[in-house]
Every structure is written in structure tokens, then in C-alpha cells.
Amino acid sequence: MKKLHSIWAMAIVLLVVCGAMTSCKGKKTASSDTAAPTESVTPEKTMTPVDAVDKYLVEVPGKGYSQGDVCIPCARVLMTDESDPADVKVWGDFWVFNYKINGDTLETVSGGSHPGLMHLRKTDSGYEVTSFDAVGDGSTFIPTAKKIFGDRYEDFMKMNSDQDGREAVRKDRIKRYVQENGLSVTQFKDYGWDPVKL
């Protein structure tokens, strides 16, 4: 009887190990500044705060948009506070974009801005987002931004209105994603605009 229990225990362990190995098969990996279609980093990698923010952007707001072939976050971090491991705070101007691969071009399908404050906690594998305080839309934008960013509100507004800076970071994130995932992409293109070479 003991031998039968041991055989069953070994079979269960093998199933769990094999399941874990095959669940990641075929998924692309990415750095802290990029993301794969379904997740921003591999489970084996220690998650930094930026990795955790990227993962959240892909898995939560990124999935709320029309889907493409790849989802690439563009997190512009204004400041972080890691003094409390149970509530690490990351303030920033967070963007996420979904793209379709068309030959050598990433064509923008959807995406948008999600500025605010990410709350994270430290885990054995790094960090994970536990909640997000989002800046509101329309008439609630200014009051919620002032509440969330406090004395750094002016810095946030400067970052949020800096389109050239945002596009430079976006281009860098796309370039890294393309290199790390071995894509034969040389440019990206927003609808109605000329392609941007990487």
C-alpha cells in the first residue's frame, strides 16, 4: 500500500512539473521595459517594481482594448517610494499599446494613457501590483491628479504633456521588445501617420 501511495505521489509531482514546463512553452519573454503579448516578464525572472508595473499594464488595461499581435507597455515613472515593502508606491504616466505585425511594421491597433499611482508589494519572486489609483478623465482629471501626485503635481503635468519625451520612450520600448523577441520589424506606424523607423 505504501508503494502505491509513493507511485501516486510521484505521478502528481511529474504532472505538476510537466504542466509548469509546458505552460510557458511558446510564450515570448521581455525585459522590464517591454512586454510580451500575454505577460511582460517570464516567471523565472525576479520582478522589479517596473517589471510589475509593465505586467499590470499588459494584463489589465491592455486587455481592455482591441487586441493585436503584441502588447507593449510604456511606463514613464515619475517617482517611487520603497520604504514600506508591503506598499511600494510607483507614480507615473503609464501607457500601453497593442500592435498588429504587418510585414516589417508594427501597426498600432489600440492603446491609451493610464496615469496614476501603482501600489505594489514585495514577494518571494520580486514585486506585484496590488492596486492602482488612476487619475480620472474629463473634469475629474485635475483634482484627482492633484490628490494622487501631491507636491509633484507640476512635475507630473510636465511629464504628461511632453509628447516628444513620451514618443522617445515608446520608440525605445518597441526597439527593445523587437530585439529581445527576434522580430523582423524595422518600424512602427500609428493610423494616419508615417511609419517611424526603429
Side-chain angles (χ1 to χ4, degrees), residues 40-120:
S40 59
V41 292
T42 59
E44 296 82 16
K45 181 177 179 179
T46 300
M47 298 281 279
T48 67
V50 174
D51 289 333
V53 167
D54 283 349
K55 187 174 191 294
Y56 178 87
L57 288 170
V58 170
E59 293 181 348
V60 181
K63 292 212 172 140
Y65 293 105
S66 298
Q67 297 299 290
D69 298 314
V70 297
C71 181
I72 304 176
C74 180
R76 301 179 72 203
V77 174
L78 180 64
M79 59 183 172
T80 61
D81 177 357
E82 297 183 47
S83 59
D84 180 0
D87 186 22
V88 173
K89 298 177 182 73
V90 180
W91 290 265
D93 188 22
F94 308 118
W95 288 73
V96 64
F97 298 94
N98 289 308
Y99 301 93
K100 174 177 68 172
I101 301 173
N102 185 1
D104 67 347
T105 306
L106 282 181
E107 295 179 347
T108 307
V109 173
S110 61
S113 171
H114 301 273
L117 167 61
M118 299 271 186
H119 294 270
L120 298 80

Side-chain angles (χ1 to χ4, degrees), residues 163-180:
Q163 185 172 347
D164 291 340
R166 178 172 57 250
E167 288 303 308
V169 171
R170 180 183 175 199
K171 181 178 178 179
D172 181 64
R173 299 289 173 93
I174 293 171
K175 188 185 288 188
R176 290 188 200 182
Y177 182 91
V178 166
Q179 290 171 346
E180 292 173 4

Side-chain angles (χ1 to χ4, degrees), residues 89-162:
K89 298 177 182 73
V90 180
W91 290 265
D93 188 22
F94 308 118
W95 288 73
V96 64
F97 298 94
N98 289 308
Y99 301 93
K100 174 177 68 172
I101 301 173
N102 185 1
D104 67 347
T105 306
L106 282 181
E107 295 179 347
T108 307
V109 173
S110 61
S113 171
H114 301 273
L117 167 61
M118 299 271 186
H119 294 270
L120 298 80
R121 72 180 178 93
K122 191 159 188 177
T123 68
D124 291 339
S125 59
Y127 293 86
E128 66 181 8
V129 174
T130 56
S131 64
F132 177 47
D133 299 336
V135 171
D137 294 326
S139 63
T140 65
F141 181 88
I142 291 175
T144 55
K146 284 183 174 179
K147 181 178 179 183
I148 290 168
F149 288 93
D151 60 1
R152 299 294 299 272
Y153 168 74
E154 294 299 331
D155 295 330
F156 160 68
M157 290 302 288
K158 190 179 293 185
M159 174 184 274
N160 183 256
S161 62
D162 179 14

